């Protein structure tokens, strides 16, 4: 009787009932029996594995191809797997997979959720910028002028080929009366520089320097560094041993610094998450992490995936930090405003 009544209601149309039936059918397909819990066990296992990799990333050994450092370099990108697993869990109609997915989502937010908010503030009395200009840059003068257009009081440049140093010096001469080039790194300043010298980072040639910049707010030790390049090779893994040794040497130099206010500008060929840079990162703050907006990825310029260019401070308060527009380099320049 009930079925007949429903079928004859609404001038013989069963449209509303069909819509309700579709909803009930979809609900029943999700909740029928124990299938929603039995399905997606593999997806749930993948979610748990992803959680373990992110949560215990510091425990991944570096003995085999520096696998730990490699995973930490691209650690934020592990979050991409969360929406992928979400879609697969929905397609598979697995309650088990969806519940398990909460684990990596919570861990990722714990690690990187703070970078999703804008922490930049106003104020500050010194603006600094750094850029790996790329030895093969086709427009050194234009690149220099672009970075200077940020309004930086102090600019650090890395990967300066000897044949192009004059072009950078000429382009920056009007705005920055003080400068020094040591090996393949250079520092330009609106304020007087003194005590400038190369810093030995165990490479056999000069790719780091240090100078005292006398600002209206006092003296600041400014370090410029370009760590050795790293490579990912099938037969050798993440080849970063030379970079790691250089980072240790740079960390020692900064630890021995006599001035209380220190700024490090440069291409460290590693992120703040990379344990192999602990000699540096353990004693300094990243301006991007403390006062930036987002991840601030700087490399490669065509599709930035990691922030290997760094501005770090010690005894100084970061106020804001940002990435500058692309130049003729394969890196993006970055800048920060700090309070001395």
């Amino acid at each position: 009787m009930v079925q007949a009544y429903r079928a004859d209601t609404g001038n013989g149309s069963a449209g509303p009932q069909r819509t309700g039936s579709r909803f009930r059918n979809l609900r029943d397909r999700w909740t029928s029996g124990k299938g929603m819990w039995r399905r997606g066990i593999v997806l749930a296992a993948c979610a748990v594995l992803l959680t373990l990799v992110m949560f215990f990333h510091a425990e991944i050994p570096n003995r085999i191809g520096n696998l730990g450092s490699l995973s930490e370099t691209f650690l934020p990108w592990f979050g991409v797997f969360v929406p992928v697993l979400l879609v697969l869990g929905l397609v598979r109609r697995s309650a088990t997979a969806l519940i398990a997915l909460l684990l990596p989502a919570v861990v990722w937010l714990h690690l990187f959720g703070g970078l999703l908010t804008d922490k930049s503030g106003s104020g500050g009395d010194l603006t600094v910028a750094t850029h790996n200009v790329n030895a093969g840059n086709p427009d050194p003068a234009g690149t220099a002028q672009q970075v200077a257009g940020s309004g930086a009081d102090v600019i650090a440049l890395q990967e300066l080929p000897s044949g192009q140093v004059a072009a950078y010096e000429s382009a920056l001469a009007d705005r920055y009366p003080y400068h020094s080039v040591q090996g393949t790194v250079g520092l330009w300043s609106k304020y007087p520089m003194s005590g400038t010298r190369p810093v030995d980072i165990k490479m056999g040639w000069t790719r780091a320097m240090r100078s005292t910049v006398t600002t209206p707010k006092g003296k600041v030790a400014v370090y410029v560094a370009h760590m050795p390049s790293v490579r990912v090779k099938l037969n050798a893994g993440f080849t970063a041993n030379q970079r790691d040794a250089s980072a240790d040497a740079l960390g020692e130099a900064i630890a021995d610094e006599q001035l209380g206010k220190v700024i490090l500008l440069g291409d460290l060929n590693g992120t703040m998450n990379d344990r192999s840079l602990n000699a540096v990162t353990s004693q300094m703050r990243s301006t991007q992490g403390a006062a930036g907006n987002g991840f601030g990825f700087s490399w490669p310029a065509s599709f930035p995936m990691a922030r290997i260019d760094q501005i770090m401070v010690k005894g100084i308060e970061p106020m804001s930090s940002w990435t500058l527009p692309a130049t003729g380099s394969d890196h993006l320049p970055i800048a920060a405003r700090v309070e001395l």
Side-chain angles (χ1 to χ4, degrees):
M1 291 295 291
V2 174
Q3 290 178 348
Y5 173 77
R6 287 179 177 169
D8 293 337
T9 302
N11 297 323
S13 172
Q17 283 70 37
R18 292 195 187 101
T19 301
S21 297
R22 290 194 192 99
F23 175 78
R24 285 193 297 273
N25 288 338
L26 180 61
R27 180 195 63 191
D28 292 343
R29 291 176 66 186
W30 262 90
T31 60
S32 60
K34 298 180 180 179
M36 62 182 292
W37 300 105
R38 292 175 177 172
R39 289 189 296 265
I41 298 300
V42 173
L43 292 177
C46 290
V48 172
L49 178 61
L50 179 61
T51 302
L52 294 174
V53 170
M54 290 193 295
F55 191 79
F56 294 105
H57 65 87
E59 306 303 322
I60 300 175
N62 259 344
R63 293 187 299 273
I64 305 173
N66 286 303
L67 188 59
S69 288
L70 177 60
S71 63
E72 288 168 336
T73 298
F74 299 103
L75 194 60
W77 289 95
F78 281 71
V80 172
F81 293 108
V82 174
V84 172
L85 290 174
L86 173 61
V87 171
L88 293 175
L90 291 172
V91 171
R92 195 74 179 87
R93 304 193 307 277
S94 169
T96 301
L98 295 179
I99 292 175
L101 192 58
L102 291 174
L103 296 173
V106 169
V107 170
W108 190 91
L109 287 172
H110 171 71
L111 292 173
F112 303 110
L115 293 175
L116 300 178
T117 60
D118 185 357
K119 298 178 291 300
S120 58
S122 58
D125 44 39
L126 184 71
T127 301
V128 297
T130 181
H131 189 27
N132 179 326
V133 297
N134 188 359
N137 193 316
D139 184 18
T143 294
Q145 290 168 357
Q146 255 187 273
V147 179
S150 66
D153 302 301
V154 176
I155 290 177
L157 300 180
Q158 305 90 48
E159 208 167 298
L160 293 167
S162 58
Q164 292 185 349
V165 169
Y168 288 101
E169 290 175 331
S170 177
L172 296 172
D174 292 340
R175 302 191 196 188
Y176 302 92
Y178 309 97
H179 90 280
S180 175
V181 174
Q182 304 282 329
T184 59
V185 298
L187 186 66
W188 279 258
S189 173
K190 294 181 179 180
Y191 305 121
M193 295 167 50
S194 61
T196 304
R197 55 177 174 78
V199 174
D200 182 12
I201 56 172
K202 312 301 181 184
M203 291 190 64
W205 70 95
T206 301
R207 283 189 21 169
M209 62 178 290
R210 178 254 183 231
S211 185
T212 298
V213 176
T214 303
T215 77
K217 295 293 185 177
K219 294 183 177 181
V220 182
V222 179
Y223 285 77
V224 184
H226 183 194
M227 295 290 101
S229 298
V230 296
R231 297 286 186 270
V232 180
K233 300 179 179 179
L234 292 177
N235 62 339
F238 191 54
T239 57
N241 292 337
Q242 189 177 19
R243 190 278 312 266
D244 298 348
S246 291
D248 290 343
L250 178 63
E252 290 179 11
I254 293 173
D256 292 339
E257 174 59 50
Q258 297 301 304
L259 291 179
K261 300 181 186 298
V262 184
I263 299 176
L264 170 61
L265 307 167
D267 173 8
L268 301 191
N269 271 308
T271 68
M272 293 296 293
N273 297 315
D274 191 338
R275 76 193 69 170
S276 296
L277 299 183
N278 280 350
V280 176
T281 58
S282 63
Q283 58 179 318
M284 306 191 80
R285 297 175 69 193
S286 162
T287 58
Q288 182 67 25
N293 181 13
F295 289 93
F297 294 147
S298 64
W299 176 89
S302 57
F303 187 82
M305 297 184 66
R307 186 180 179 90
I308 62 175
D309 301 277
Q310 306 289 352
I311 298 177
M312 288 188 250
V313 296
K314 182 179 181 181
I316 294 171
E317 187 65 27
M319 303 304 295
S320 57
S321 187
W322 63 97
T323 302
L324 298 171
T327 67
S329 172
D330 57 340
H331 291 244
L332 295 178
I334 60 175
R337 183 84 174 158
V338 299
E339 179 71 56
L340 299 179

